[in-house]
Amino acid sequence: AVGISGALSRSSDLLPLRIRYNSYPIYVDKGKRMRFRYMRHWVETGHEKTGWKVPTLLKIAMDALDDKLNHYRCFHRVLSRGEIIYGNNSMLAHARSSFKNNSPDKAPRHLLRVWLQCQKADLL
């Protein structure tokens, strides 16, 4: 079997096509399933990598969404050692601030991503 090598999948000829067809709506509501997926950084980075200009209306829409998300931000603080945040990434608009480990006498930050599957019965 022949697969696409890393060199081919990142070729300058194919990258714009891969990025163009790797798009998702920001908000989807399918009956009992809602999904919110907004990552401005990757929208802008995708346009930059393909040499495309971010359309003016898209920029205006992202600016408006950013303003609303920042206005209604309900949680913003530095977590203490041992604290955890648990949330559904598909339903909760969220972001993280940049992090620098500038203290040589402290252990480096240890970040884990965990996927949990909840059964419908668990939610009742």
Side-chain angles (χ1 to χ4, degrees), residues 72-120:
Y72 290 104
R73 178 174 43 190
C74 61
F75 181 86
H76 186 260
R77 71 181 185 86
V78 176
L79 298 179
S80 297
R81 182 181 178 101
E83 289 186 311
I84 187 172
I85 295 176
Y86 172 77
N88 183 335
N89 283 355
S90 297
M91 297 179 69
L92 179 67
H94 63 285
R96 289 172 284 288
S97 301
S98 61
F99 176 84
K100 290 184 181 177
N101 190 22
N102 293 328
S103 179
D105 35 317
K106 287 187 178 179
R109 174 176 158 169
H110 185 72
L111 182 65
L112 295 174
R113 175 174 283 192
V114 177
W115 287 269
L116 301 174
Q117 182 176 7
C118 297
Q119 300 298 320
K120 189 172 183 178

Side-chain angles (χ1 to χ4, degrees), residues 6-16:
L8 180 59
S9 67
R10 296 215 176 265
S11 79
S12 59
D13 294 331
L14 292 180
L15 188 59

